[in-house]
Every structure is written in C-alpha cells, then in structure tokens.
Amino acid sequence: MTVLTTPAPAPVAPRRAAALVWGVAVSAYVAAVFHRSSLGVTGVDAAHRFEINSSVLATFSVAQLAVYALMQVPVGVLLDRFGSRRLLIAGGALMVAGQVCFALATDVRLAVAARVLVGLGDAMTFISVLRIVAFWFPGRRNPMMTQLTGTLGQLGAILGAVPLVALLHRAGWTPAFLAVAAVGATVLLMIVVAVRDTPHGETAPGPAPDLAAVRRKLRAAWAEPGTRLGLWTHFVTQFSGSVFALLWGYPFLVQGQGLSPTAAASLLTLMTVAMFLTGPVIAHLCARHPFHRSVLVFVITGATAAVWAVVLAWPGRAPGWLLVTLVLVLAVNGPGSMIGFDYARTANPVNRIGSASGVVNVGGFLASIVLVLAVGVVLDLATPAGRAAPDLAAFRWAFAVQYALWALGAVQVLRYRNATRREAAARARTPATP
C-alpha cells in the first residue's frame, strides 16, 4: 500500500488478454514474496556461513524491511509517473541482482547490501500489480481481483519454505540462491514479453511529481484520527506473525524446539496455507460488522499473546499440537493487519486513501523491525557463553519482548478508537453544507 492515483476507468479489455497480463503480473508478486521469505528458512545456515551472532543476523531482515517501509511513498510517486511495467521490470531486476549477490557473498556488508536490493525490488511489486488490475478489469471486479492477487502472492512463501530448505541442504548455499535468482530472472523475462500497462500498450511517462501536493496529502491523512487508528491496528496485529515467518520462527523451531529443518519448514508452509483460509473470513467480518472492527483487532491480538504465553511457559519443548496451534494463530496476524487499511479507507476521502494507506503500512513494518532487532539482541545476551547457538531458554526471553509491543499497540488502538468515534460523532452533529 502506498501513494497511488486511481486511474480513470479504461475500456474493458478482452478477457484472455486481461487474464494473461494479470497472471504474469501476479507471478511477479509470487516471485517477490519468494525472494522476501527466502531468508526466513535459511537464517540458521546464514549464521554459520557468515559466522555471525543473532544480532548481526537480525540486520539482514532489518535492512530488507526498513527499505521496503521507507520506499512506500516514493514508489507510489514513481508508479504514477512511469507505470506498472517499468516498475515491475526494475523491481524484478533489483531482486535478481540481490539474490545473486546473496548467493556469492561471504562478507556481511555485501550480504546486507543484497537484502537491501531485495527490499527495494519487493517494494515496487505489489502496488504495480494493483495498478494493472485497475486498468485491465472493470471496476466492479477490482475488489475481488485485488483480494485474489494478495492471496495468490503467498504461494511464494510456500515455495520459499520446504523446497528451498531441501535445495539448500542438497546443493549448498551458492547453488540454492543462484537457483532462486534464476527463478526471478525467468519471471522477469515473462514480464518483459507479456505485461503491458493498459489494453492500449505501455503508459507514457507522466509529469514530474508534485512533492508539495504529496506532502499536503500526507499531512491531511495523518491529521485524521482514523488513519492513526489504522496505523496502530497494523502495528499491533502484524509484527508477531511477520517476524516469525521472515526470520526468527525457523531458528526457534529448529534450535529451540528441536524440530528437523523439514518439519520446521512444513509448519511455516502450514502458516501460509492457513492465511489463505482466514483472509476471506476476516474481510467478511469487517464488511458485516464495520462498527466492531476494533473488537476483532483485540481478539486477534489477545489470542496471539495467549498462545505465545502457553508456548513460552510450557515446561521443556512444546508438543507438536501446541506448535501447530501457534502457527495457525499467527496465520491470522497478516489478514488481521488489513483491518488497518480498512480504517484508512473509511476515514479518508477517495483522493487521500493512497496516502493514508502508506501511513498505515509503516506501523506493522516499524513494529517488525523493532522486534527483529530486539529478539537478536536478547538471544545474544541470553545465550550461555560457549554455546554456538541459542537454547530454548534464550528464545523464551527473546520472544517475551513481544508483550511490550502488544501493550503499547493496544493502548494506542484504544486511544485512537475513542478519538475516531468522537470525530465521527462531531461530524454527525454538524449540519451539512447546502
């Protein structure tokens, strides 16, 4: 989500052409999620390859997440000027370059630079696909196609779990990540051949962005209590599942819980599959009960915190059924964070929704960055001297950091929910201008 000007409705494109262009564009998003999640199941191997501790390993994910978050507004401006095709090509090329660098890197600085390239390319992808949906499909089908795009993109996380772990352990680090880059290059070639911005061809570069207008929209969006409610909703619901999937879940399951690499990757795959099923349910509940969305936010957050409490307090390693329960609850975090964008949509006029969504999107990524770093630091501090890897006790202390973030987020959601309700009540009392 980012700053995006909704294009004027275009004539309906032929169905086969629209399906082909959208299908290839979605494959670009699948590849982006594949690149994004490739570090999640290779963190343990990365720590051995680069001979680094948990804090340094955390910087790999932080670099990727920080660049993604910082690029939200700039990407929207670039997209309005250059169109989807150019940005998908640029983003795909950046991610392929990043994975090639990561495959060949033996130096930590080069590895971090590689993750920065992946984050840059990833930031350009999803919103570019959404713009293609807006141009190639009639307006009444846009919501369904947007939801389908986001759901299908998660196939990349499945490819980045068990298959990547098997390849890594069979072929080694460099061949595995060169194969990842090859997949990205194949998708990039498909984009060059098949994707067009509109049914009439490629979009000509637009005018230079009006930065003053962008700043005005951002200030107006931030002044709206509903936007800040969306930001804190995204903050409190996203970070636990996101950090588990992107980096620390796999080491926790393998090093802390003693699972095999394949079993750990299978649990991450189960988490992704569960997201497919829960996403439409969350969307349906928000549509049916728009005045009780905050209740859903607190239910999701409370359930996540409660299951984590049982896992962290369990004497010894947690049983399999409890770890399955954990990943199923964490799977709801991603769809739950989308409630933040729904707040932004209902609290802002149409011409400001893109700016408000960009603000909301920062919340969850900011929380994720803080947690990724905090877990890495606590793991290093809590790991007994002389041990090569963290033990279960260290992981317990590290994941307990989440409760501080949940407390902060819950307080802020309550605060801005009340502010939003007061604002809505004040507007209802104000007579309409004739």
Side-chain angles (χ1 to χ4, degrees):
M1 300 293 178
T2 184
V3 176
L4 176 63
T5 302
T6 303
V12 178
R15 288 189 177 183
R16 289 185 180 179
L20 173 63
V21 171
W22 174 75
V24 174
V26 167
S27 72
Y29 182 49
V30 172
V33 174
F34 180 36
H35 292 309
R36 179 195 309 169
S37 60
S38 61
L39 183 61
V41 295
T42 58
V44 174
D45 297 89
H48 292 312
R49 176 177 176 83
F50 298 105
E51 298 180 349
I52 53 178
N53 59 23
S54 299
S55 299
V56 178
L57 178 61
T59 62
F60 289 7
S61 280
V62 167
Q64 183 175 319
L65 289 171
V67 167
Y68 184 96
L70 290 172
M71 285 298 294
Q72 291 305 296
V73 172
V75 163
V77 175
L78 292 171
L79 185 58
D80 282 341
R81 188 173 190 198
F82 295 108
S84 296
R85 184 173 185 271
R86 290 182 177 89
L87 259 66
L88 286 173
I89 292 172
L94 285 168
M95 287 185 284
V96 169
Q99 296 292 32
V100 170
C101 288
F102 205 52
L104 302 176
T106 55
D107 177 75
V108 171
R109 288 171 295 183
L110 182 58
V112 171
R115 300 319 297 179
V116 167
L117 290 175
V118 172
L120 279 172
D122 188 8
M124 296 180 181
T125 305
F126 181 62
I127 198 67
S128 297
V129 180
L130 292 189
R131 190 176 177 89
I132 287 205
V133 168
F135 270 113
W136 282 86
F137 293 90
R140 67 182 183 277
R141 296 183 62 189
N142 273 206
M144 181 192 71
M145 298 304 298
T146 297
Q147 178 76 4
L148 193 57
T149 297
T151 301
L152 290 176
Q154 300 311 309
L155 290 171
I158 296 176
L159 294 175
V162 176
L164 182 56
V165 167
L167 180 61
L168 181 65
H169 292 164
R170 181 182 297 271
W173 180 275
T174 298
F177 276 95
L178 287 178
V180 171
V183 171
T186 302
V187 173
L188 179 59
L189 181 61
M190 291 166 57
I191 295 168
V192 172
V193 171
V195 171
R196 296 294 180 269
D197 288 314
T198 74
H200 308 291
E202 198 171 332
T203 299
D210 183 350
L211 297 182
V214 172
R215 286 194 294 269
R216 285 195 299 271
K217 281 188 178 181
L218 288 173
R219 281 196 298 266
W222 178 252
E224 183 65 52
T227 302
R228 280 178 273 184
L229 174 59
L231 181 146
W232 287 105
T233 295
H234 199 257
F235 179 103
V236 79
T237 52
Q238 190 205 46
F239 67 81
S240 188
S242 177
V243 170
F244 193 88
L246 288 176
L247 183 62
W248 291 122
Y250 183 83
F252 169 72
L253 295 171
V254 173
Q255 296 174 331
Q257 297 293 338
L259 299 186
S260 68
T262 301
S266 298
L267 280 177
L268 292 176
T269 300
L270 174 63
M271 181 176 165
T272 303
V273 172
M275 289 178 64
F276 280 99
L277 303 177
T278 56
V281 175
I282 298 295
H284 175 73
L285 290 174
C286 286
R288 288 289 302 273
H289 307 285
F291 298 107
H292 298 89
R293 289 172 292 183
S294 61
V295 174
L296 190 56
V297 170
F298 287 122
V299 168
I300 292 170
T301 303
T304 306
V307 173
W308 263 118
V310 175
V311 171
L312 298 180
W314 195 272
R317 291 172 173 170
W321 64 265
L322 182 54
L323 294 177
V324 169
T325 303
L326 175 64
V327 298
L328 291 177
V329 171
L330 289 175
V332 188
N333 284 195
S337 69
M338 295 298 104
I339 299 172
F341 296 109
D342 203 45
Y343 279 127
R345 178 184 62 82
T346 55
N348 289 273
V350 174
N351 66 343
R352 214 166 60 207
I353 288 177
S355 301
S357 297
V359 172
V360 168
N361 207 24
V362 172
F365 283 99
L366 176 62
S368 297
I369 289 169
V370 171
L371 184 59
V372 164
L373 281 174
V375 169
V377 171
V378 175
L379 284 177
D380 285 338
L381 293 175
T383 299
R387 285 188 63 92
D391 58 9
L392 181 56
F395 278 107
R396 283 173 172 156
W397 284 109
F399 279 109
V401 174
Q402 296 178 105
Y403 289 89
L405 294 174
W406 279 318
L408 172 62
V411 168
Q412 293 295 86
V413 168
L414 277 172
R415 176 187 176 189
Y416 286 107
R417 182 188 69 173
N418 294 337
T420 301
R421 288 177 175 178
R422 288 194 300 268
E423 180 78 11
R427 289 175 178 172
R429 290 193 299 267
T430 302
T433 302

